[in-house]
Amino acid sequence: NHANLPRNMIENSMFEEEPDVVDLALPVLDPDEMSYEPRSSRLLVRGLGENELEDDEEDYESSARLLGMSFMNRSAAQRAGSSPYIRQPSPRSCLRPSARTMVVCVLFLVILASMTMVFYFLPGCTYTKAGCPKSNGTTPVEPLYPNSTSGELFPWAQLRLPQSIHPIDYDITLNPNLDEMTFTGQSIITMSVHHNTRRLVLHGANFNITNATFKGPVNKVNVLEYKPWQQIAIKLPEELKAGQRCVLTLDYSASLSNTYDGFYNSSYTNKDGTKSVLAATQFEPLSARKAFPCFDEPAFKATFHMKISRKPEYMTLSNMPKAKSTHLSNGRVLDEFEKTSVNMSTYLVAFIVANFTPVSTNVSDTLVSVYSVPEKKEHTVYALEMASKLLEFYNNFFDIKYPLKKLDLIAIPDFLAGAMENWGLITFRETTLLVGQESSPLEKQVVASVIAHELAHQWFGNLVTMNWWNDLWLNEGFATYMQYTSLQGNLFLSVRFRVLDKDALNSSHAVSTQVETAEQVEEMFDAVSYEKGASILLMLNASMSGSNQFRKGIIQYLKQFRGRNTDTNDLWNSLTQNVSEMMNSWTSQKGFPLITVSIKEDQVTISQEHFLLSSDGNTRSSRWVTPNIGDRGSGGCGSSSDREVGGSIPLPGKVKWLKMNYRNTGFYIVHYGDVGWAALTEALSTNVSILTQEDRASLIHNMFALSRLGRVSFQQVLNLLSYVSQETETSPVMEALFQLNTIYRLLDKRQESGLAARMKTYILARFGSLMNNQTWEKDEQDGVSELELRASLLETACMLEQENCTQAASALFKQYVESNGTSRIPGDLQQVVFTVAAQSDEDWLTLLNMYHYATYDAEKKKLLLGLASTQDTRKIVWILQAGLRGEVVQTQELPLIIRVMCRGFAGHLFVWDFIQVNWERLIEKFPVGSFAIQSIIKSVTSQFSTQAHLDQVEAFFSGLKERGSQMRSVQEALETIRLNQRWMDVNLPTLQRWL
């Protein structure tokens, strides 16, 4: 339980034995440095701060490996430094000594002299957060700091900034040159001094600083830079006193970034073939420092006053409304924006220089606008409608009105993330914001879902922000929870299944976990922070007694901490019911419990253990307080109260079967034992509707998970699936198809062609009639759930080359091409139709031509994924190379292209080669540890199941060193391959007998 562990520390005993006297000559330390805590008379020094070690170093080293930390490379520069000491033995005299006394005295003097020499040659060390200084006598000297780029010592030696100075306000002027792809800027930062200091440390990356003044225009200062940590610093000639205010002015120049973070350049091609350029920003998590010097940590909130100059043909946007525009003598226009009316973290600042057009409406005194490139203006209407509805919904739900005067949503042609919640200026990919009038309900649901997520952030994340990235889930878990619960649909259920699969790995991490390096921060943007965070909130909501208790609690949390920063405990303490103990068990340790239940007459016995697919032998025993675990049984079964599971629960009478975790709102897996599973299997075969579709889906998921764990045989899995030929609901069918398709692909990639063919026959036997019942026409009556089911069934049928499916898809494509696009393919079927077409050389070229000229983004993306599904190796290589170049195929789409390619037999081998050859170019485009890199690694390795591939993956990534070897996603990949290997070793004989 990380929340309750002692603070990380270093303990360093100078002696094997107790010293007689230790006299510490303590220098006056900066409060950002370290504190002392002697124990008894032994010299013990404890380093408290951000770069510390656990008491249990062995356990910490294990965790460090998981977190991508280099435990063994903690240099002296990162450790604390030391203070000198003088040892003063008591004076003694010897009058008329006996021979024995003489011997004792001589021996004592020899020992004393030896110890004095040791003390003389070993410099004392006061372990501070900054490093171990050399010292002589009792004169304290500066700790060992790293060298700045100029060679002068840099006055700080931590990744995290000191707390002595906090920003109050930024006045920023930017002058981007979109012809040269450069910009100049001026950052005027007003700050308050929190405690006495003689240094100022902040963030800045890749700037050429041309002028720096401190306090006033005459006080020129020298700016030092330490590039590895993207920090800049000023050593002040005189000490600043707590309570003072000061102003730093920096003039600088830089290049616009050519990746997807910081202040970056982008371009798009118009219908007439001309190219338009723009500049946009993406600062989360650590890239505001690439656009302007700043205190680039979430807890350093401040106000921002932005000014941006531009050519007259462009427009600019920022977080706040424009206050005025001034024509400059050089022909440019200076746009000045209102000062932010709220304190903001730097990662939420945003600005755009482009030529976009808006559609707008007023909602509760807020001007809501959706911006796009001019040619796609008609595709913004749905987004404006959804944003308006959701803004009104959240205003009411949170009982706090959105605090800014305007809310812009802008579709950027070249954007890596799905979207970004910048306060008042939310940026999106075009595919997550723009939909046409002919779009299917599924496409509209994607847009609505992303808007719901980003608007929820305006409260969770923007109004109340996590202190540090270790609690990223407070932002992303809540936004994900609101995204799924504010809209109807089955998607949240399948998302919870997938994050359970990830969290069952030993390479997973706690929801709230220590992070420090940039790579570790990037890696926090994963399914655990998002989907597991959302899942435990769903579980908490379901467990709280009384209507709206959860909502009341989060409203109290938002009102209490409005404008401030929080950690996980602040949330639990704000809720009206005491949930801290229960919820800390879910946020402070990785994984989740396996609940094992057995029925004996009129009572059920329950036990729990960590559901862990593989163990390194160092795993601590984990316990979870599990809410509402008893849910339903034949004859009725009441819910248990919140408890640390163990013991027995009485039943109202004898029951034939029991189903725990009603509608799968709990984040755990249930094992019913052989007898319990047999009873549930029989009950479903007799009456499929005896359980809700969510419960049926969760039984399928749990059974496959238990098979992977080795607790049930694959024969038991097949016994349960015997009922699915009667199944017609979306959630259970999609879960069964997902699990069976995964096994089919593993067999296919393992070159077990005979077994793969027989698995294909099994899938078609179970779902063939349901597949054949699907239509290929647009049906206005179908809702999102029905369309999801149709798309899933037909994609599987065509992947398995069921003849009537591929023929129908080919006919639909031919009709579409011959009609010059006037005959539409239903939106939910476009992907399957384009994928079938791509297997033909002639149709692949037709798809490529259509891709070049497509303007509707959702369709263009499906065309690209169709192209990527080819099994022609030359075409595979061409698409991958085009994605790297970024001209015909946008580089932002590479992770998705790779995911689709890896589903095919040829694709997964070629992509693995491509990754190894082009790794350096990939990490230039996508930061090490980023979600894009995580996705690429998972896609390319998750279907390997042989020792040869395990050795290749291990050798390649271990050779990368700081360029990726320590990533958690690499540990996850290796673990997954080993698990695939184990599953195959155990189940291949069974499959051969059964199939």
Side-chain angles (χ1 to χ4, degrees), residues 49 115 140 501 860:
M115 291 183 72
D501 298 342
K860 191 177 179 82

Side-chain angles (χ1 to χ4, degrees), residues 696-769:
R696 301 198 298 274
S698 78
L699 285 179
I700 293 168
H701 170 267
N702 285 196
M703 184 63 105
F704 274 96
L706 289 163
S707 165
R708 204 158 165 76
L709 187 64
R711 294 296 175 90
V712 299
S713 68
F714 199 66
Q715 186 59 55
Q716 287 173 283
V717 177
L718 300 170
N719 291 346
L720 178 68
L721 291 182
S722 61
Y723 99 91
V724 296
S725 52
Q726 308 168 52
E727 185 62 81
T728 58
E729 295 289 349
T730 302
S731 294
V733 169
M734 287 183 67
E735 184 58 23
L737 287 176
F738 172 85
Q739 298 288 355
L740 292 169
N741 285 340
T742 299
I743 294 172
Y744 170 79
R745 289 194 176 104
L746 277 173
L747 292 168
D748 185 44
K749 305 299 189 301
R750 180 98 169 201
Q751 300 178 45
E752 294 280 355
S753 51
L755 280 178
R758 281 175 273 174
M759 175 58 79
K760 164 183 163 180
T761 304
Y762 173 80
I763 295 170
L764 293 175
R766 284 284 175 269
F767 297 100
S769 62

